[in-house]
Amino acid sequence: MAEAMKRGGHIATPRHPTANAALASFLYGKVAVLRLGLQAALDPSNATKRYFLLGDGSAATFEKWRPGEPNNAAGNEGCVDLSADGHWNDVECISCAVFDCLGIKCEIPTSRCSG
Ligand SMILES: [Ca+2]
Protein backbone atom coordinates (compact mmCIF):
# COMPACT_ATOMS: atom_id res chain seq x y z
CA MET A 1 0.00 0.00 0.00
CA ALA A 2 2.80 2.38 0.84
CA GLU A 3 4.21 1.88 -2.66
CA ALA A 4 1.02 3.12 -4.34
CA MET A 5 0.66 6.04 -1.97
CA LYS A 6 4.29 7.00 -2.49
CA ARG A 7 3.47 7.29 -6.19
CA GLY A 8 0.52 9.55 -5.49
CA GLY A 9 -2.10 6.87 -5.89
CA HIS A 10 -4.59 5.22 -3.65
CA ILE A 11 -5.65 1.71 -2.84
CA ALA A 12 -9.01 0.67 -4.14
CA THR A 13 -11.35 -0.77 -1.56
CA PRO A 14 -14.74 -1.79 -2.95
CA ARG A 15 -17.37 -1.40 -0.26
CA HIS A 16 -20.33 -2.73 -2.23
CA PRO A 17 -21.04 -5.03 -5.20
CA THR A 18 -21.35 -2.20 -7.74
CA ALA A 19 -17.91 -0.79 -6.91
CA ASN A 20 -16.43 -4.29 -6.95
CA ALA A 21 -17.86 -4.96 -10.41
CA ALA A 22 -16.58 -1.61 -11.69
CA LEU A 23 -13.08 -2.36 -10.46
CA ALA A 24 -13.19 -5.84 -11.97
CA SER A 25 -14.21 -4.40 -15.34
CA PHE A 26 -11.19 -2.08 -15.15
CA LEU A 27 -8.97 -5.14 -14.93
CA TYR A 28 -10.46 -7.09 -17.79
CA GLY A 29 -7.92 -7.43 -20.59
CA LYS A 30 -5.35 -5.23 -18.81
CA VAL A 31 -4.00 -6.89 -15.71
CA ALA A 32 -4.69 -10.20 -14.00
CA VAL A 33 -5.28 -8.88 -10.51
CA LEU A 34 -5.52 -5.66 -8.55
CA ARG A 35 -4.33 -5.34 -4.96
CA LEU A 36 -7.13 -4.10 -2.70
CA GLY A 37 -6.89 -1.95 0.40
CA LEU A 38 -7.65 -4.76 2.81
CA GLN A 39 -5.34 -6.47 5.25
CA ALA A 40 -5.81 -9.50 7.44
CA ALA A 41 -5.81 -9.19 11.21
CA LEU A 42 -6.02 -11.91 13.81
CA ASP A 43 -8.83 -12.05 16.32
CA PRO A 44 -7.10 -11.50 19.71
CA SER A 45 -9.49 -13.94 21.36
CA ASN A 46 -9.11 -16.64 18.69
CA ALA A 47 -5.75 -16.78 16.93
CA THR A 48 -7.11 -19.08 14.22
CA LYS A 49 -9.76 -16.58 13.15
CA ARG A 50 -8.88 -13.74 10.81
CA TYR A 51 -10.67 -10.59 9.80
CA PHE A 52 -9.99 -8.29 6.88
CA LEU A 53 -9.68 -4.65 7.75
CA LEU A 54 -9.95 -1.47 5.69
CA GLY A 55 -7.19 1.12 5.70
CA ASP A 56 -8.90 3.02 8.52
CA GLY A 57 -8.83 -0.08 10.72
CA SER A 58 -12.53 -0.82 10.47
CA ALA A 59 -13.75 -4.28 9.52
CA ALA A 60 -14.79 -4.89 5.92
CA THR A 61 -18.57 -5.15 5.64
CA PHE A 62 -18.55 -6.27 2.00
CA GLU A 63 -16.55 -9.28 0.80
CA LYS A 64 -16.47 -11.16 -2.50
CA TRP A 65 -14.20 -14.16 -1.92
CA ARG A 66 -13.57 -16.76 -4.60
CA PRO A 67 -14.99 -20.09 -3.40
CA GLY A 68 -12.42 -21.63 -1.04
CA GLU A 69 -10.92 -18.25 -0.15
CA PRO A 70 -9.63 -16.74 2.02
CA ASN A 71 -7.50 -19.85 2.60
CA ASN A 72 -4.24 -18.38 3.88
CA ALA A 73 -2.56 -21.05 1.75
CA ALA A 74 0.95 -19.69 2.17
CA GLY A 75 0.45 -19.21 5.90
CA ASN A 76 0.95 -15.47 5.62
CA GLU A 77 -1.62 -14.33 3.08
CA GLY A 78 -2.43 -11.00 4.65
CA CYS A 79 -3.30 -9.00 1.53
CA VAL A 80 -6.17 -9.29 -0.95
CA ASP A 81 -6.18 -9.32 -4.76
CA LEU A 82 -9.22 -8.74 -6.97
CA SER A 83 -9.44 -10.80 -10.17
CA ALA A 84 -11.11 -9.69 -13.38
CA ASP A 85 -14.00 -12.03 -12.64
CA GLY A 86 -14.74 -9.97 -9.52
CA HIS A 87 -13.60 -12.53 -6.95
CA TRP A 88 -11.09 -11.94 -4.16
CA ASN A 89 -8.13 -14.06 -3.08
CA ASP A 90 -5.97 -13.59 0.00
CA VAL A 91 -2.30 -13.49 -1.06
CA GLU A 92 1.11 -12.83 0.41
CA CYS A 93 1.68 -9.10 0.70
CA ILE A 94 5.05 -9.39 -1.00
CA SER A 95 3.59 -10.98 -4.13
CA CYS A 96 3.44 -8.92 -7.30
CA ALA A 97 0.74 -6.32 -7.16
CA VAL A 98 -0.89 -3.79 -9.38
CA PHE A 99 -2.56 -0.84 -7.76
CA ASP A 100 -5.15 1.57 -9.07
CA CYS A 101 -3.21 4.82 -9.03
CA LEU A 102 -5.91 7.24 -10.10
CA GLY A 103 -6.37 5.41 -13.36
CA ILE A 104 -2.67 4.91 -14.02
CA LYS A 105 -1.26 1.43 -13.74
CA CYS A 106 1.24 1.32 -10.88
CA GLU A 107 3.09 -1.89 -10.30
CA ILE A 108 5.66 -2.84 -7.72
CA PRO A 109 8.97 -3.36 -9.53
CA THR A 110 9.42 -7.02 -10.40
CA SER A 111 12.64 -7.14 -8.39
CA ARG A 112 10.47 -6.79 -5.30
CA CYS A 113 7.98 -9.47 -6.31
CA SER A 114 8.22 -12.97 -4.91
CA GLY A 115 6.70 -14.56 -8.00
CA1 LIG B 1 -5.48 -17.45 -0.96
Side-chain angles (χ1 to χ4, degrees), residues 53-96:
L53 303 175
L54 304 174
D56 65 5
S58 63
T61 57
F62 166 75
E63 296 179 335
K64 183 72 173 176
W65 298 108
R66 179 177 308 288
E69 302 291 347
N71 62 1
N72 198 22
N76 59 349
E77 295 187 334
C79 287
V80 180
D81 279 353
L82 167 72
S83 298
D85 67 1
H87 285 104
W88 299 1
N89 176 24
D90 60 335
V91 297
E92 291 183 81
C93 294
I94 59 170
S95 63
C96 295

Coordinates of all heavy atoms in Angstrom, one line a residue, residues 53-96:
L53 N -9.4 -6.0 7.3 CA -9.7 -4.6 7.8 C -9.4 -3.7 6.6 O -8.5 -3.9 5.8 CB -8.8 -4.3 8.9 CG -8.9 -5.2 10.2 CD1 -7.9 -4.8 11.2 CD2 -10.3 -5.2 10.7
L54 N -10.2 -2.6 6.6 CA -10.0 -1.5 5.7 C -8.8 -0.6 6.2 O -8.3 -0.8 7.3 CB -11.2 -0.6 5.6 CG -12.5 -1.3 5.3 CD1 -13.7 -0.4 5.4 CD2 -12.4 -1.9 3.9
G55 N -8.3 0.3 5.4 CA -7.2 1.1 5.7 C -7.4 1.9 7.0 O -6.4 2.3 7.6
D56 N -8.6 2.3 7.3 CA -8.9 3.0 8.5 C -9.0 2.1 9.8 O -9.3 2.6 10.8 CB -10.2 3.9 8.4 CG -11.4 3.1 8.2 OD1 -11.4 1.8 8.3 OD2 -12.5 3.7 8.0
G57 N -8.8 0.8 9.6 CA -8.8 -0.1 10.7 C -10.2 -0.7 11.0 O -10.3 -1.5 11.9
S58 N -11.2 -0.2 10.3 CA -12.5 -0.8 10.5 C -12.7 -2.1 9.7 O -12.0 -2.4 8.7 CB -13.6 0.2 10.0 OG -13.5 0.4 8.6
A59 N -13.6 -3.0 10.2 CA -13.8 -4.3 9.5 C -14.5 -4.1 8.2 O -15.4 -3.3 8.1 CB -14.5 -5.2 10.5
A60 N -14.1 -4.9 7.2 CA -14.8 -4.9 5.9 C -16.2 -5.4 6.1 O -16.4 -6.4 6.8 CB -14.0 -5.7 4.9
T61 N -17.2 -4.7 5.5 CA -18.6 -5.1 5.6 C -19.0 -5.8 4.3 O -20.1 -6.4 4.3 CB -19.5 -4.0 6.0 OG1 -19.3 -3.0 5.0 CG2 -19.2 -3.4 7.4
F62 N -18.3 -5.6 3.3 CA -18.6 -6.3 2.0 C -17.4 -7.1 1.6 O -16.2 -6.7 1.8 CB -18.8 -5.2 0.9 CG -18.8 -5.8 -0.5 CD1 -19.8 -6.6 -0.9 CD2 -17.7 -5.7 -1.3 CE1 -19.8 -7.1 -2.2 CE2 -17.6 -6.3 -2.6 CZ -18.7 -7.0 -3.0
E63 N -17.6 -8.4 1.2 CA -16.6 -9.3 0.8 C -17.0 -10.1 -0.4 O -18.2 -10.3 -0.5 CB -16.2 -10.2 1.9 CG -15.6 -9.5 3.1 CD -15.2 -10.5 4.3 OE1 -15.8 -11.6 4.4 OE2 -14.4 -10.1 5.1
K64 N -16.1 -10.4 -1.3 CA -16.5 -11.2 -2.5 C -15.4 -12.2 -2.8 O -14.7 -12.2 -3.8 CB -16.6 -10.2 -3.7 CG -17.0 -10.8 -5.0 CD -18.4 -11.2 -5.0 CE -18.8 -11.7 -6.4 NZ -20.1 -12.2 -6.5
W65 N -15.3 -13.1 -1.8 CA -14.2 -14.2 -1.9 C -14.5 -15.2 -3.0 O -15.7 -15.6 -3.2 CB -14.0 -14.9 -0.6 CG -13.6 -13.9 0.5 CD1 -14.4 -13.5 1.6 CD2 -12.3 -13.3 0.7 NE1 -13.6 -12.7 2.3 CE2 -12.4 -12.5 1.8 CE3 -11.1 -13.4 -0.1 CZ2 -11.3 -11.8 2.3 CZ3 -10.0 -12.7 0.4 CH2 -10.1 -11.9 1.5
R66 N -13.5 -15.6 -3.7 CA -13.6 -16.8 -4.6 C -13.9 -18.0 -3.7 O -13.4 -18.1 -2.6 CB -12.2 -17.0 -5.3 CG -12.2 -18.2 -6.3 CD -10.8 -18.3 -7.0 NE -10.4 -17.0 -7.6 CZ -11.0 -16.5 -8.7 NH1 -11.9 -17.1 -9.3 NH2 -10.6 -15.3 -9.2
P67 N -14.7 -18.9 -4.2 CA -15.0 -20.1 -3.4 C -13.7 -20.7 -2.9 O -12.7 -20.9 -3.7 CB -15.7 -21.0 -4.4 CG -16.4 -20.0 -5.3 CD -15.4 -18.9 -5.5
G68 N -13.6 -21.0 -1.6 CA -12.4 -21.6 -1.0 C -11.5 -20.6 -0.4 O -10.5 -21.0 0.2
E69 N -11.7 -19.3 -0.7 CA -10.9 -18.3 -0.1 C -11.7 -17.5 0.9 O -12.9 -17.5 0.9 CB -10.5 -17.3 -1.3 CG -9.8 -17.9 -2.4 CD -8.4 -18.3 -2.1 OE1 -7.9 -18.0 -1.0 OE2 -7.8 -19.0 -2.9
P70 N -11.1 -16.8 1.8 CA -9.6 -16.7 2.0 C -9.1 -18.0 2.7 O -9.6 -18.5 3.7 CB -9.5 -15.5 2.9 CG -10.8 -15.5 3.8 CD -11.8 -16.0 2.8
N71 N -8.0 -18.6 2.1 CA -7.5 -19.8 2.6 C -6.1 -19.7 3.3 O -5.6 -20.7 3.8 CB -7.4 -20.9 1.5 CG -6.5 -20.4 0.4 OD1 -5.9 -19.4 0.4 ND2 -6.4 -21.2 -0.7
N72 N -5.5 -18.6 3.2 CA -4.2 -18.4 3.9 C -3.3 -19.5 3.5 O -2.6 -20.1 4.4 CB -4.4 -18.2 5.4 CG -3.2 -17.6 6.1 OD1 -2.4 -17.0 5.4 ND2 -3.0 -17.9 7.3
A73 N -3.3 -19.9 2.2 CA -2.6 -21.1 1.8 C -1.1 -21.0 2.1 O -0.5 -22.0 2.4 CB -2.8 -21.2 0.2
A74 N -0.5 -19.8 1.9 CA 1.0 -19.7 2.2 C 1.3 -19.5 3.6 O 2.4 -19.4 4.0 CB 1.5 -18.5 1.3
G75 N 0.2 -19.4 4.5 CA 0.4 -19.2 5.9 C 0.7 -17.8 6.3 O 0.7 -17.4 7.5
N76 N 0.8 -16.9 5.3 CA 1.0 -15.5 5.6 C 0.3 -14.6 4.5 O 0.8 -13.6 4.1 CB 2.4 -15.1 5.8 CG 3.2 -15.4 4.5 OD1 2.7 -16.1 3.6 ND2 4.4 -14.9 4.4
E77 N -0.9 -15.0 4.1 CA -1.6 -14.3 3.1 C -2.5 -13.2 3.7 O -3.6 -13.4 4.0 CB -2.5 -15.3 2.3 CG -1.6 -16.3 1.5 CD -2.4 -17.2 0.6 OE1 -3.6 -17.4 0.8 OE2 -1.9 -17.6 -0.4
G78 N -1.8 -12.1 3.9 CA -2.4 -11.0 4.6 C -3.0 -9.9 3.8 O -3.6 -8.9 4.3
C79 N -2.8 -10.0 2.5 CA -3.3 -9.0 1.5 C -4.4 -9.6 0.6 O -4.6 -10.8 0.7 CB -2.2 -8.4 0.7 SG -1.1 -7.3 1.6
V80 N -5.0 -8.8 -0.1 CA -6.2 -9.3 -1.0 C -6.0 -8.8 -2.4 O -5.8 -7.6 -2.6 CB -7.5 -8.8 -0.4 CG1 -8.7 -9.3 -1.2 CG2 -7.6 -9.3 1.1
D81 N -6.2 -9.7 -3.3 CA -6.2 -9.3 -4.8 C -7.6 -9.5 -5.3 O -8.2 -10.5 -5.0 CB -5.2 -10.2 -5.5 CG -3.8 -9.7 -5.4 OD1 -3.5 -8.6 -4.9 OD2 -2.9 -10.4 -5.9
L82 N -8.0 -8.6 -6.2 CA -9.2 -8.7 -7.0 C -8.9 -9.3 -8.4 O -8.0 -8.8 -9.0 CB -9.9 -7.4 -7.1 CG -11.0 -7.2 -8.1 CD1 -12.3 -7.9 -7.6 CD2 -11.3 -5.7 -8.3
S83 N -9.6 -10.3 -8.8 CA -9.4 -10.8 -10.2 C -10.5 -10.2 -11.1 O -11.5 -9.6 -10.7 CB -9.6 -12.3 -10.2 OG -8.7 -12.9 -9.4
A84 N -10.2 -10.3 -12.4 CA -11.1 -9.7 -13.4 C -12.5 -10.3 -13.3 O -13.5 -9.6 -13.8 CB -10.5 -9.8 -14.8
D85 N -12.7 -11.5 -12.8 CA -14.0 -12.0 -12.6 C -14.7 -11.5 -11.4 O -15.9 -11.9 -11.1 CB -13.9 -13.6 -12.6 CG -13.3 -14.1 -11.4 OD1 -12.8 -13.4 -10.5 OD2 -13.2 -15.4 -11.3
G86 N -14.1 -10.6 -10.7 CA -14.7 -10.0 -9.5 C -14.5 -10.7 -8.2 O -15.0 -10.2 -7.2
H87 N -13.8 -11.8 -8.2 CA -13.6 -12.5 -7.0 C -12.3 -12.1 -6.3 O -11.4 -11.7 -6.9 CB -13.6 -14.0 -7.2 CG -14.9 -14.6 -7.5 ND1 -15.4 -14.9 -8.7 CD2 -16.0 -14.8 -6.6 CE1 -16.6 -15.4 -8.6 NE2 -17.0 -15.3 -7.4
W88 N -12.3 -12.3 -5.0 CA -11.1 -11.9 -4.2 C -10.3 -13.2 -3.8 O -10.9 -14.3 -3.6 CB -11.5 -11.2 -2.9 CG -12.3 -10.0 -3.1 CD1 -12.7 -9.3 -4.2 CD2 -12.8 -9.1 -2.0 NE1 -13.3 -8.2 -3.9 CE2 -13.4 -8.1 -2.6 CE3 -12.7 -9.2 -0.6 CZ2 -14.0 -7.1 -1.8 CZ3 -13.3 -8.2 0.1 CH2 -14.0 -7.2 -0.5
N89 N -9.0 -13.0 -3.5 CA -8.1 -14.1 -3.1 C -7.1 -13.4 -2.1 O -6.6 -12.4 -2.4 CB -7.4 -14.7 -4.3 CG -6.4 -15.7 -3.8 OD1 -6.5 -16.3 -2.8 ND2 -5.3 -15.9 -4.6
D90 N -7.0 -14.1 -0.9 CA -6.0 -13.6 0.0 C -4.6 -14.1 -0.5 O -4.5 -15.2 -1.0 CB -6.2 -14.0 1.4 CG -6.3 -15.5 1.6 OD1 -6.6 -16.3 0.7 OD2 -6.0 -16.0 2.8
V91 N -3.6 -13.2 -0.5 CA -2.3 -13.5 -1.1 C -1.2 -12.9 -0.1 O -1.5 -12.1 0.8 CB -2.1 -12.9 -2.5 CG1 -3.1 -13.5 -3.5 CG2 -2.3 -11.4 -2.4
E92 N 0.0 -13.4 -0.3 CA 1.1 -12.8 0.4 C 1.3 -11.4 0.0 O 1.2 -11.0 -1.2 CB 2.4 -13.6 0.1 CG 2.4 -15.0 0.6 CD 3.8 -15.7 0.3 OE1 4.7 -15.4 1.1 OE2 3.8 -16.4 -0.6
C93 N 1.6 -10.5 1.0 CA 1.7 -9.1 0.7 C 2.9 -8.8 -0.1 O 2.9 -7.7 -0.8 CB 1.7 -8.3 2.0 SG 0.2 -8.4 2.9
I94 N 3.9 -9.7 -0.2 CA 5.1 -9.4 -1.0 C 4.9 -9.9 -2.4 O 5.8 -9.7 -3.2 CB 6.3 -10.0 -0.4 CG1 6.2 -11.5 -0.2 CG2 6.6 -9.3 1.0 CD1 7.4 -12.2 0.1
S95 N 3.8 -10.5 -2.8 CA 3.6 -11.0 -4.1 C 3.4 -9.8 -5.0 O 3.1 -8.7 -4.6 CB 2.4 -11.9 -4.2 OG 1.2 -11.2 -3.9
C96 N 3.6 -10.0 -6.3 CA 3.4 -8.9 -7.3 C 2.1 -8.3 -7.2 O 1.1 -9.0 -6.9 CB 3.6 -9.5 -8.7 SG 5.2 -10.1 -9.0

